[in-house]
Structures are given as C-alpha cells and as structure tokens.
Amino acid sequence: MNVQIQLDEHHINSLVAQLVHDKLQELAVPRVLSLDIKDIKRITGINSNITLQKILSDPRILQHQFRLGEGGPRHWNARGFEEAYEEVMNDFKVMY
C-alpha cells in the first residue's frame, strides 16, 4: 500500500506560521512564579492573621516557602502553594 500526500507551499507555510504563533502565545502569557504574603491574602481572601498563620504553618505549605535573602520576606512557589492550599482546604472541609 502506497500513500501519497501532496501539500502545497502555501499550506505548509500556514501550518508553520500557526505553530509559531501558538508557541509565542504560550510564552507571552505572564506566569506568576512566586507569591508574597500580600498575594496570598488577596488570593485566599483570609483576613484573620491567626487562620492565615495556621494555614501557612502547615508542612504541605511550608515545603513551598522560601526567602530571597537571609532574613528577607517569605515567598512561596506559586504552583506548589496552589496545590498544597487546595489539599489543606479539603482537609478543613472534612474536619468541619
């Protein structure tokens, strides 16, 4: 069985242009790599410092925490924080 496919130059150029466009769009979308305490308060909507500290002291959250300098402010890996926060919140739902 012999299969032949004919593509004209215009069609090939169109496909390549679309692939390049898609990849550039992926790169152009800004991605947040880290969160600071202000971001976490805004994202979670938690106003109580006691509740926030309880959540931030959870080992699943702590593993994503880092400081940019010695004694500097805390930051969290955005993707890791999101996944860990979801786990913590699911545990709270079960407890209450």
Side-chain angles (χ1 to χ4, degrees):
M1 177 180 267
N2 193 4
V3 178
Q4 292 184 351
I5 299 175
Q6 291 184 342
L7 297 174
D8 61 25
E9 188 175 341
H10 175 73
H11 187 72
I12 292 171
N13 288 340
S14 175
L15 289 172
V16 169
Q18 184 62 42
L19 287 171
V20 169
H21 175 75
D22 292 347
K23 289 299 176 188
L24 287 174
Q25 288 299 319
E26 287 177 22
L27 295 173
V29 175
R31 299 194 187 249
V32 176
L33 299 179
S34 69
L35 304 170
D36 63 13
I37 193 70
K38 290 179 187 176
D39 294 329
I40 289 179
K41 286 180 178 180
R42 180 179 48 80
I43 291 168
T44 62
I46 297 173
N47 295 325
S48 166
N49 284 334
I50 295 170
T51 304
L52 187 61
Q53 291 310 315
K54 185 174 183 178
I55 291 169
L56 295 179
S57 66
D58 186 286
R60 293 169 288 190
I61 301 286
L62 283 174
Q63 71 181 355
H64 302 289
Q65 179 181 309
F66 64 94
R67 294 181 188 263
L68 296 175
E70 188 174 328
R74 298 180 296 173
H75 286 78
W76 292 264
N77 171 286
R79 183 172 291 156
F81 176 84
E82 182 181 329
E83 293 170 1
Y85 180 73
E86 189 173 321
E87 288 178 19
V88 170
M89 289 295 97
N90 285 336
D91 287 353
F92 277 142
K93 287 179 189 176
V94 171
M95 289 174 22
Y96 297 103

Coordinates of all heavy atoms in Angstrom, one line a residue:
M1 N 0.9 -1.2 0.0 CA 0.0 0.0 0.0 C 0.9 1.2 0.0 O 1.8 1.4 0.8 CB -0.9 0.0 1.2 CG -1.8 1.2 1.3 SD -2.8 1.2 2.7 CE -4.3 0.5 2.0
N2 N 0.7 2.1 -0.9 CA 1.5 3.3 -1.1 C 0.6 4.5 -0.9 O -0.4 4.7 -1.7 CB 2.2 3.3 -2.4 CG 3.3 4.3 -2.5 OD1 3.6 5.0 -1.6 ND2 3.8 4.5 -3.7
V3 N 0.9 5.4 0.1 CA 0.1 6.6 0.3 C 0.9 7.8 -0.1 O 2.0 8.0 0.3 CB -0.4 6.7 1.8 CG1 -1.2 7.9 2.0 CG2 -1.1 5.4 2.2
Q4 N 0.3 8.7 -0.8 CA 0.9 9.9 -1.2 C 0.1 11.1 -0.7 O -1.1 11.1 -0.9 CB 1.1 10.0 -2.7 CG 2.1 9.0 -3.3 CD 2.3 9.2 -4.8 OE1 1.6 10.0 -5.4 NE2 3.3 8.5 -5.3
I5 N 0.8 12.0 -0.1 CA 0.1 13.2 0.3 C 0.8 14.4 -0.3 O 2.0 14.6 -0.3 CB 0.2 13.4 1.9 CG1 -0.4 12.2 2.6 CG2 -0.4 14.7 2.3 CD1 -0.2 12.2 4.0
Q6 N 0.0 15.3 -0.9 CA 0.5 16.4 -1.6 C 0.1 17.7 -0.8 O -1.1 17.9 -0.5 CB 0.0 16.5 -3.0 CG 0.6 15.5 -3.9 CD 0.1 15.7 -5.4 OE1 -0.8 16.4 -5.6 NE2 0.8 15.1 -6.3
L7 N 1.1 18.4 -0.4 CA 0.8 19.7 0.3 C 1.5 20.8 -0.5 O 2.6 20.7 -0.9 CB 1.4 19.7 1.7 CG 0.8 18.6 2.7 CD1 1.6 18.6 4.0 CD2 -0.6 18.9 3.0
D8 N 0.8 21.8 -0.7 CA 1.4 23.0 -1.4 C 2.1 23.8 -0.4 O 2.0 23.8 0.8 CB 0.3 23.8 -2.2 CG -0.7 24.4 -1.3 OD1 -0.5 24.6 -0.1 OD2 -1.8 24.6 -1.8
E9 N 3.0 24.7 -1.0 CA 3.9 25.5 -0.2 C 3.0 26.5 0.7 O 3.4 26.7 1.9 CB 4.8 26.3 -1.1 CG 5.9 27.1 -0.3 CD 6.8 27.7 -1.2 OE1 6.9 27.3 -2.4 OE2 7.5 28.7 -0.8
H10 N 1.9 27.0 0.2 CA 1.1 27.9 1.0 C 0.5 27.2 2.2 O 0.5 27.7 3.3 CB 0.0 28.4 0.1 CG -1.0 29.3 0.9 ND1 -0.7 30.5 1.3 CD2 -2.3 29.0 1.3 CE1 -1.8 31.0 1.9 NE2 -2.7 30.1 2.0
H11 N 0.1 25.9 2.1 CA -0.5 25.2 3.2 C 0.6 24.9 4.2 O 0.3 25.0 5.4 CB -1.1 23.9 2.7 CG -1.8 23.1 3.7 ND1 -3.0 23.5 4.2 CD2 -1.5 22.0 4.4 CE1 -3.4 22.7 5.1 NE2 -2.5 21.7 5.3
I12 N 1.8 24.5 3.8 CA 2.9 24.2 4.7 C 3.2 25.5 5.5 O 3.4 25.5 6.7 CB 4.1 23.7 4.0 CG1 3.8 22.3 3.5 CG2 5.3 23.6 4.9 CD1 4.8 21.7 2.5
N13 N 3.4 26.6 4.8 CA 3.7 27.9 5.4 C 2.6 28.3 6.5 O 2.9 28.8 7.5 CB 3.9 29.0 4.4 CG 5.2 28.8 3.6 OD1 6.1 28.2 4.1 ND2 5.2 29.5 2.5
S14 N 1.4 28.0 6.1 CA 0.3 28.3 7.0 C 0.4 27.5 8.3 O 0.2 28.0 9.4 CB -1.0 28.1 6.3 OG -2.1 28.3 7.2
L15 N 0.7 26.2 8.2 CA 0.8 25.3 9.3 C 2.0 25.8 10.2 O 1.8 25.8 11.4 CB 1.0 23.9 8.9 CG -0.2 23.2 8.3 CD1 0.2 21.8 7.7 CD2 -1.3 23.0 9.3
V16 N 3.1 26.1 9.6 CA 4.3 26.5 10.4 C 4.0 27.9 11.1 O 4.3 28.0 12.3 CB 5.5 26.6 9.5 CG1 6.6 27.3 10.2 CG2 5.9 25.3 9.0
A17 N 3.3 28.8 10.4 CA 3.0 30.1 11.0 C 2.1 29.9 12.2 O 2.2 30.6 13.2 CB 2.4 31.0 9.9
Q18 N 1.1 29.0 12.1 CA 0.2 28.7 13.2 C 0.9 28.1 14.4 O 0.7 28.5 15.5 CB -0.9 27.8 12.7 CG -2.0 27.6 13.8 CD -2.7 28.8 14.2 OE1 -3.1 29.7 13.3 NE2 -2.9 29.0 15.5
L19 N 1.8 27.2 14.1 CA 2.6 26.6 15.2 C 3.5 27.6 15.9 O 3.5 27.7 17.1 CB 3.5 25.5 14.7 CG 2.8 24.2 14.3 CD1 3.8 23.2 13.6 CD2 2.2 23.5 15.5
V20 N 4.1 28.5 15.2 CA 4.9 29.6 15.7 C 4.1 30.5 16.5 O 4.4 30.9 17.7 CB 5.7 30.3 14.6 CG1 6.4 31.6 15.2 CG2 6.8 29.4 14.0
H21 N 2.9 30.9 16.0 CA 2.0 31.8 16.7 C 1.6 31.2 18.0 O 1.6 31.9 19.1 CB 0.8 32.1 15.8 CG -0.2 32.9 16.5 ND1 -0.1 34.3 16.7 CD2 -1.4 32.6 17.0 CE1 -1.1 34.7 17.4 NE2 -2.0 33.7 17.5
D22 N 1.2 29.9 18.0 CA 0.8 29.2 19.2 C 1.8 29.2 20.3 O 1.6 29.5 21.5 CB 0.3 27.8 18.9 CG -1.0 27.8 18.1 OD1 -1.7 28.8 18.0 OD2 -1.3 26.7 17.6
K23 N 3.1 28.9 19.9 CA 4.2 28.9 20.8 C 4.5 30.2 21.4 O 4.8 30.4 22.6 CB 5.4 28.3 20.2 CG 5.3 26.8 19.9 CD 5.1 26.0 21.2 CE 4.9 24.6 21.0 NZ 4.5 23.9 22.2
L24 N 4.4 31.3 20.6 CA 4.7 32.6 21.0 C 3.6 33.1 22.0 O 3.9 33.8 23.0 CB 4.8 33.6 19.9 CG 6.0 33.5 19.0 CD1 5.9 34.4 17.8 CD2 7.2 33.9 19.9
Q25 N 2.4 32.7 21.8 CA 1.3 33.0 22.7 C 1.5 32.3 24.1 O 1.3 32.9 25.1 CB -0.1 32.5 22.2 CG -0.6 33.4 21.0 CD -0.7 34.8 21.4 OE1 -1.2 35.2 22.5 NE2 -0.3 35.7 20.6
E26 N 2.0 31.1 24.1 CA 2.3 30.4 25.3 C 3.4 31.2 26.1 O 3.3 31.3 27.3 CB 2.8 29.0 25.1 CG 1.7 28.0 24.6 CD 2.3 26.7 24.3 OE1 3.4 26.3 24.8 OE2 1.6 25.9 23.6
L27 N 4.4 31.6 25.4 CA 5.5 32.3 26.0 C 5.1 33.7 26.5 O 5.6 34.3 27.5 CB 6.7 32.4 25.1 CG 7.3 31.1 24.7 CD1 8.4 31.3 23.7 CD2 8.0 30.5 26.0
A28 N 4.2 34.4 25.8 CA 3.8 35.7 26.1 C 2.9 35.8 27.3 O 2.8 36.9 28.0 CB 3.1 36.4 24.9
V29 N 2.2 34.8 27.7 CA 1.3 34.8 28.8 C 2.1 34.9 30.1 O 2.9 34.0 30.3 CB 0.4 33.6 28.8 CG1 -0.4 33.5 30.1 CG2 -0.5 33.5 27.6
P30 N 2.0 36.0 30.8 CA 2.8 36.0 32.1 C 2.4 35.0 33.1 O 1.2 34.7 33.3 CB 2.5 37.4 32.6 CG 1.3 37.8 32.0 CD 1.1 37.1 30.7
R31 N 3.4 34.4 33.7 CA 3.1 33.3 34.7 C 3.8 33.8 36.0 O 4.9 34.2 36.0 CB 3.7 32.0 34.2 CG 3.1 31.5 32.9 CD 3.4 30.1 32.7 NE 2.9 29.7 31.4 CZ 1.9 28.9 31.1 NH1 1.3 28.4 32.1 NH2 1.5 28.7 29.9
V32 N 3.0 33.7 37.0 CA 3.5 34.1 38.3 C 4.3 32.9 38.9 O 3.8 31.8 38.9 CB 2.3 34.4 39.3 CG1 2.8 34.7 40.7 CG2 1.6 35.6 38.7
L33 N 5.5 33.1 39.2 CA 6.4 32.1 39.7 C 6.4 32.0 41.2 O 6.5 30.9 41.8 CB 7.8 32.2 39.2 CG 7.9 32.2 37.7 CD1 9.4 32.4 37.3 CD2 7.4 30.9 37.2
S34 N 6.2 33.2 41.9 CA 6.2 33.2 43.4 C 5.1 34.1 43.9 O 4.7 35.0 43.2 CB 7.6 33.5 43.9 OG 7.9 34.9 43.6
L35 N 4.7 33.9 45.1 CA 3.7 34.7 45.8 C 4.3 35.3 47.0 O 5.1 34.6 47.7 CB 2.5 33.8 46.1 CG 1.8 33.1 45.0 CD1 0.8 32.1 45.6 CD2 1.1 34.0 44.1
D36 N 3.9 36.5 47.4 CA 4.3 37.0 48.7 C 3.1 37.0 49.6 O 2.0 36.6 49.2 CB 5.0 38.4 48.6 CG 4.0 39.5 48.0 OD1 2.8 39.2 47.9 OD2 4.5 40.5 47.7
I37 N 3.2 37.5 50.8 CA 2.1 37.4 51.8 C 0.9 38.2 51.3 O -0.2 37.8 51.5 CB 2.6 37.8 53.2 CG1 1.6 37.5 54.2 CG2 2.9 39.3 53.2 CD1 1.4 36.0 54.5
K38 N 1.2 39.4 50.6 CA 0.0 40.2 50.1 C -0.7 39.4 49.0 O -2.0 39.4 49.0 CB 0.6 41.5 49.5 CG 1.1 42.4 50.5 CD 1.6 43.7 49.9 CE 2.3 44.6 50.9 NZ 2.9 45.8 50.2
D39 N 0.0 38.7 48.2 CA -0.7 37.9 47.1 C -1.5 36.8 47.8 O -2.6 36.5 47.4 CB 0.4 37.2 46.2 CG 1.1 38.2 45.4 OD1 0.6 39.3 45.0 OD2 2.3 37.9 45.1
I40 N -1.0 36.2 48.8 CA -1.7 35.0 49.4 C -2.9 35.6 50.1 O -4.0 34.9 50.0 CB -0.7 34.3 50.4 CG1 0.3 33.5 49.6 CG2 -1.5 33.4 51.3 CD1 1.3 32.8 50.4
K41 N -2.9 36.7 50.8 CA -4.1 37.3 51.4 C -5.1 37.6 50.4 O -6.3 37.3 50.6 CB -3.7 38.5 52.2 CG -3.0 38.2 53.5 CD -2.6 39.5 54.2 CE -1.9 39.2 55.6 NZ -1.6 40.4 56.3
R42 N -4.7 38.1 49.3 CA -5.6 38.5 48.2 C -6.2 37.3 47.6 O -7.5 37.2 47.4 CB -4.9 39.3 47.1 CG -5.8 39.8 46.0 CD -5.0 40.6 45.0 NE -3.7 40.1 44.6 CZ -3.6 39.1 43.7 NH1 -4.7 38.6 43.1 NH2 -2.4 38.7 43.3
I43 N -5.4 36.3 47.3 CA -5.9 35.1 46.6 C -6.9 34.3 47.5 O -7.9 33.8 47.1 CB -4.7 34.2 46.2 CG1 -4.0 34.9 45.0 CG2 -5.2 32.8 45.7 CD1 -2.6 34.3 44.7
T44 N -6.5 34.1 48.8 CA -7.3 33.3 49.7 C -8.5 34.0 50.3 O -9.4 33.3 50.6 CB -6.4 32.7 50.8 OG1 -5.9 33.8 51.6 CG2 -5.2 31.9 50.3
G45 N -8.4 35.3 50.4 CA -9.4 36.1 51.0 C -9.5 35.9 52.5 O -10.5 36.3 53.1
I46 N -8.4 35.4 53.1 CA -8.4 35.2 54.5 C -7.9 36.5 55.2 O -6.8 37.0 54.9 CB -7.5 34.0 54.9 CG1 -8.0 32.7 54.3 CG2 -7.3 33.9 56.4 CD1 -7.1 31.5 54.5
N47 N -8.8 37.0 56.1 CA -8.4 38.3 56.8 C -7.9 38.0 58.2 O -7.2 38.9 58.7 CB -9.7 39.2 56.9 CG -10.1 39.6 55.5 OD1 -9.3 39.9 54.6 ND2 -11.4 39.7 55.3
S48 N -8.2 36.9 58.7 CA -7.7 36.6 60.1 C -6.2 36.1 60.1 O -5.9 35.2 59.4 CB -8.6 35.5 60.7 OG -8.0 34.9 61.8
N49 N -5.4 36.9 60.8 CA -4.0 36.5 60.8 C -3.8 35.2 61.5 O -2.9 34.4 61.1 CB -3.2 37.6 61.6 CG -3.0 38.8 60.7 OD1 -3.0 38.7 59.5 ND2 -2.8 40.0 61.3
I50 N -4.6 34.8 62.5 CA -4.4 33.5 63.2 C -4.7 32.4 62.2 O -4.0 31.4 62.1 CB -5.4 33.5 64.4 CG1 -4.9 34.5 65.4 CG2 -5.4 32.1 65.0 CD1 -5.9 34.7 66.6
T51 N -5.8 32.5 61.5 CA -6.2 31.5 60.5 C -5.1 31.4 59.4 O -4.7 30.3 59.0 CB -7.5 31.8 59.8 OG1 -8.5 31.9 60.9 CG2 -7.9 30.7 58.9
L52 N -4.6 32.5 58.9 CA -3.6 32.5 57.9 C -2.3 31.9 58.3 O -1.8 31.1 57.6 CB -3.4 34.0 57.4 CG -2.5 34.1 56.2 CD1 -3.0 33.4 55.0 CD2 -2.2 35.6 55.9
Q53 N -1.9 32.2 59.5 CA -0.7 31.6 60.1 C -0.8 30.1 60.3 O 0.1 29.4 60.1 CB -0.2 32.3 61.4 CG 0.2 33.7 61.2 CD 1.3 33.9 60.0 OE1 2.2 33.1 60.0 NE2 1.1 34.9 59.2
K54 N -2.0 29.7 60.7 CA -2.3 28.3 60.9 C -2.1 27.5 59.5 O -1.5 26.5 59.4 CB -3.7 28.0 61.4 CG -4.0 26.6 61.8 CD -5.3 26.5 62.5 CE -5.6 25.0 62.9 NZ -6.8 24.9 63.6
I55 N -2.6 28.1 58.5 CA -2.5 27.5 57.1 C -1.1 27.6 56.7 O -0.6 26.6 56.1 CB -3.5 28.2 56.2 CG1 -4.9 27.9 56.5 CG2 -3.2 27.8 54.7 CD1 -5.9 28.7 55.8
L56 N -0.4 28.7 56.8 CA 0.9 28.8 56.3 C 2.0 28.0 57.1 O 3.1 27.7 56.6 CB 1.4 30.3 56.3 CG 0.6 31.2 55.4 CD1 1.1 32.7 55.5 CD2 0.7 30.8 54.0
S57 N 1.6 27.6 58.3 CA 2.5 26.7 59.1 C 2.3 25.2 58.8 O 3.0 24.4 59.3 CB 2.3 27.0 60.6 OG 1.0 26.6 61.0
D58 N 1.3 24.9 57.9 CA 1.1 23.5 57.6 C 2.3 23.0 56.8 O 2.8 23.7 55.9 CB -0.2 23.4 56.7 CG -0.5 22.0 56.4 OD1 0.2 21.4 55.5 OD2 -1.5 21.5 57.0
P59 N 2.8 21.8 57.1 CA 4.0 21.3 56.4 C 3.9 21.3 54.8 O 4.9 21.4 54.1 CB 4.2 19.9 56.9 CG 3.5 19.9 58.2 CD 2.4 20.9 58.1
R60 N 2.7 21.0 54.4 CA 2.5 21.0 52.9 C 2.7 22.4 52.3 O 3.1 22.5 51.1 CB 1.1 20.5 52.6 CG 0.9 19.0 53.0 CD -0.5 18.6 52.9 NE -1.3 19.2 54.0 CZ -2.5 18.9 54.4 NH1 -3.2 18.0 53.7 NH2 -3.1 19.5 55.4
I61 N 2.4 23.4 53.0 CA 2.6 24.8 52.5 C 4.0 25.2 52.8 O 4.7 25.8 51.9 CB 1.7 25.8 53.3 CG1 0.2 25.4 53.1 CG2 2.0 27.2 52.9 CD1 -0.4 25.8 51.7
L62 N 4.6 24.8 53.9 CA 6.0 25.2 54.3 C 7.0 24.7 53.3 O 8.0 25.3 53.0 CB 6.3 24.7 55.7 CG 5.7 25.5 56.8 CD1 6.1 24.8 58.1 CD2 6.3 26.9 56.8
Q63 N 6.7 23.5 52.7 CA 7.7 23.0 51.7 C 7.9 23.9 50.5 O 8.8 23.7 49.7 CB 7.4 21.6 51.4 CG 6.2 21.4 50.5 CD 5.9 19.9 50.2 OE1 6.7 19.0 50.6 NE2 4.8 19.6 49.5
H64 N 6.9 24.8 50.2 CA 7.0 25.6 49.1 C 7.4 27.1 49.4 O 7.4 28.0 48.6 CB 5.6 25.7 48.4 CG 5.2 24.3 47.9 ND1 5.8 23.6 46.9 CD2 4.2 23.5 48.5 CE1 5.2 22.5 46.8 NE2 4.3 22.3 47.7
Q65 N 7.8 27.3 50.7 CA 8.2 28.6 51.2 C 9.7 28.8 51.0 O 10.5 27.9 51.1 CB 7.8 28.7 52.7 CG 8.2 30.1 53.2 CD 7.9 30.1 54.7 OE1 6.7 29.8 55.1 NE2 8.8 30.5 55.5
F66 N 10.1 30.0 50.6 CA 11.5 30.3 50.5 C 11.7 31.8 50.8 O 10.7 32.6 50.8 CB 12.1 30.0 49.2 CG 11.4 30.7 48.0 CD1 12.0 31.9 47.5 CD2 10.3 30.3 47.4 CE1 11.5 32.6 46.5 CE2 9.7 30.9 46.3 CZ 10.3 32.1 45.9
R67 N 12.9 32.2 51.0 CA 13.3 33.6 51.2 C 14.3 34.0 50.2 O 15.2 33.2 49.9 CB 13.8 33.9 52.6 CG 12.8 33.6 53.7 CD 13.3 33.9 55.1 NE 12.4 33.5 56.1 CZ 11.6 34.3 56.8 NH1 11.6 35.6 56.4 NH2 10.7 33.9 57.7
L68 N 14.2 35.2 49.6 CA 15.1 35.6 48.6 C 16.4 36.0 49.2 O 17.4 36.1 48.5 CB 14.5 36.8 47.8 CG 13.2 36.4 47.0 CD1 12.6 37.6 46.3 CD2 13.5 35.3 46.0
G69 N 16.5 36.4 50.4 CA 17.7 36.7 51.1 C 17.6 36.3 52.6 O 16.5 36.1 53.1
E70 N 18.7 36.3 53.2 CA 18.7 35.9 54.7 C 17.9 37.0 55.4 O 18.1 38.2 55.4 CB 20.2 35.9 55.2 CG 20.2 35.3 56.6 CD 21.7 35.2 57.1 OE1 22.5 34.9 56.2 OE2 21.9 35.3 58.3
G71 N 16.9 36.5 56.1 CA 16.0 37.4 56.9 C 15.0 38.1 56.0 O 14.3 39.0 56.5
G72 N 15.0 37.8 54.7 CA 14.1 38.5 53.8 C 12.7 38.1 53.9 O 12.4 37.1 54.7
P73 N 11.7 38.7 53.3 CA 10.3 38.3 53.4 C 10.1 37.0 52.8 O 10.8 36.5 51.9 CB 9.6 39.4 52.6 CG 10.6 40.0 51.7 CD 11.9 39.9 52.3
R74 N 9.1 36.3 53.3 CA 8.7 35.0 52.8 C 8.1 35.1 51.4 O 7.3 36.0 51.2 CB 7.8 34.3 53.8 CG 8.4 34.1 55.1 CD 7.4 33.4 56.1 NE 6.3 34.2 56.3 CZ 5.2 33.8 57.0 NH1 5.1 32.6 57.5 NH2 4.2 34.6 57.2
H75 N 8.4 34.1 50.6 CA 7.7 33.9 49.3 C 7.3 32.4 49.2 O 7.9 31.6 49.9 CB 8.6 34.3 48.2 CG 8.8 35.7 48.0 ND1 9.6 36.5 48.8 CD2 8.2 36.6 47.1 CE1 9.6 37.7 48.4 NE2 8.7 37.8 47.4
W76 N 6.4 32.1 48.3 CA 6.0 30.7 48.1 C 6.0 30.4 46.6 O 5.6 31.3 45.8 CB 4.6 30.5 48.7 CG 4.6 30.5 50.2 CD1 4.7 29.5 51.0 CD2 4.5 31.7 51.0 NE1 4.6 29.9 52.3 CE2 4.5 31.3 52.3 CE3 4.4 33.0 50.7 CZ2 4.4 32.1 53.4 CZ3 4.3 33.9 51.8 CH2 4.3 33.5 53.1
N77 N 6.4 29.3 46.2 CA 6.3 28.8 44.9 C 4.8 28.8 44.5 O 4.0 28.1 45.2 CB 6.9 27.4 44.7 CG 6.7 26.8 43.4 OD1 5.6 26.4 43.1 ND2 7.7 26.8 42.6
A78 N 4.4 29.5 43.5 CA 3.0 29.7 43.2 C 2.3 28.4 42.9 O 1.2 28.1 43.4 CB 2.9 30.7 42.0
R79 N 2.8 27.6 42.0 CA 2.2 26.3 41.7 C 2.1 25.4 42.8 O 1.1 24.8 43.1 CB 2.9 25.6 40.5 CG 2.1 24.4 40.0 CD 2.7 23.8 38.8 NE 2.4 24.7 37.7 CZ 3.1 24.8 36.6 NH1 4.2 24.1 36.4 NH2 2.8 25.7 35.6
G80 N 3.2 25.3 43.6 CA 3.2 24.4 44.7 C 2.3 24.9 45.8 O 1.6 24.1 46.4
F81 N 2.2 26.2 46.0 CA 1.3 26.7 47.0 C -0.1 26.4 46.7 O -0.9 26.0 47.5 CB 1.5 28.3 47.2 CG 0.5 28.9 48.1 CD1 0.8 28.9 49.5 CD2 -0.7 29.4 47.7 CE1 -0.2 29.4 50.4 CE2 -1.6 30.0 48.5 CZ -1.3 29.9 49.9
E82 N -0.5 26.6 45.4 CA -1.8 26.4 45.0 C -2.3 24.9 45.2 O -3.4 24.7 45.8 CB -2.0 26.7 43.5 CG -3.3 26.5 42.9 CD -3.4 26.8 41.4 OE1 -2.6 27.7 41.0 OE2 -4.2 26.2 40.8
E83 N -1.4 24.0 44.9 CA -1.8 22.6 45.1 C -1.9 22.3 46.6 O -2.8 21.6 47.0 CB -0.7 21.7 44.4 CG -0.8 21.8 42.9 CD 0.4 21.1 42.2 OE1 1.3 20.5 42.9 OE2 0.5 21.2 41.0
A84 N -0.9 22.8 47.4 CA -0.9 22.5 48.8 C -2.1 23.2 49.5 O -2.7 22.6 50.4 CB 0.4 23.0 49.4
Y85 N -2.4 24.4 49.1 CA -3.5 25.1 49.7 C -4.8 24.4 49.4 O -5.7 24.2 50.3 CB -3.6 26.5 49.1 CG -4.7 27.3 49.7 CD1 -4.7 27.8 51.0 CD2 -5.8 27.6 48.9 CE1 -5.7 28.6 51.5 CE2 -6.9 28.4 49.4 CZ -6.8 28.9 50.7 OH -7.8 29.6 51.2
E86 N -5.0 23.8 48.2 CA -6.2 23.1 47.9 C -6.3 21.8 48.8 O -7.4 21.5 49.3 CB -6.1 22.6 46.4 CG -7.4 22.0 46.0 CD -7.4 21.8 44.5 OE1 -6.9 22.6 43.7 OE2 -7.9 20.7 44.1
E87 N -5.2 21.1 49.1 CA -5.2 20.0 50.0 C -5.6 20.4 51.4 O -6.4 19.7 52.0 CB -3.8 19.3 50.0 CG -3.4 18.6 48.7 CD -2.0 18.0 48.8 OE1 -1.5 17.9 50.0 OE2 -1.5 17.7 47.8
V88 N -5.0 21.5 51.9 CA -5.3 22.0 53.2 C -6.8 22.3 53.3 O -7.4 21.9 54.3 CB -4.4 23.2 53.6 CG1 -4.8 23.8 54.9 CG2 -2.9 22.7 53.7
M89 N -7.3 23.0 52.3 CA -8.7 23.4 52.4 C -9.6 22.2 52.3 O -10.7 22.1 53.0 CB -9.0 24.4 51.2 CG -8.4 25.7 51.4 SD -9.1 26.7 52.8 CE -7.9 26.4 54.0
N90 N -9.3 21.2 51.6 CA -10.1 19.9 51.5 C -10.0 19.3 52.9 O -11.1 18.7 53.3 CB -9.5 19.0 50.4 CG -9.9 19.5 49.0 OD1 -10.9 20.2 48.9 ND2 -9.2 19.1 48.1
D91 N -8.9 19.3 53.6 CA -8.8 18.7 54.9 C -9.7 19.5 55.9 O -10.4 18.9 56.7 CB -7.4 18.7 55.4 CG -6.6 17.6 54.8 OD1 -7.1 16.8 54.0 OD2 -5.3 17.6 55.0
F92 N -9.8 20.8 55.8 CA -10.6 21.6 56.6 C -12.1 21.3 56.4 O -12.9 21.2 57.3 CB -10.4 23.1 56.4 CG -9.2 23.7 57.2 CD1 -8.4 24.6 56.6 CD2 -8.9 23.3 58.5 CE1 -7.3 25.2 57.3 CE2 -7.8 23.8 59.2 CZ -7.0 24.7 58.6
K93 N -12.5 21.1 55.1 CA -13.8 20.7 54.8 C -14.2 19.4 55.5 O -15.3 19.3 56.0 CB -14.0 20.6 53.3 CG -14.0 21.9 52.6 CD -14.1 21.6 51.1 CE -13.9 22.8 50.3 NZ -14.0 22.6 48.8
V94 N -13.3 18.5 55.6 CA -13.6 17.2 56.2 C -13.7 17.3 57.7 O -14.6 16.7 58.3 CB -12.5 16.1 55.8 CG1 -12.6 14.9 56.6 CG2 -12.5 15.8 54.3
M95 N -12.9 18.2 58.3 CA -12.8 18.4 59.7 C -14.1 19.1 60.2 O -14.6 18.8 61.3 CB -11.6 19.2 60.2 CG -10.3 18.3 60.0 SD -8.8 19.2 60.4 CE -9.2 20.6 61.3
Y96 N -14.6 20.0 59.4 CA -15.7 20.8 59.9 C -17.0 20.5 59.2 O -17.6 20.8 58.4 CB -15.4 22.3 59.8 CG -14.2 22.7 60.7 CD1 -13.0 22.9 60.1 CD2 -14.4 22.8 62.0 CE1 -11.9 23.2 60.9 CE2 -13.3 23.1 62.8 CZ -12.1 23.3 62.3 OH -11.0 23.7 63.1

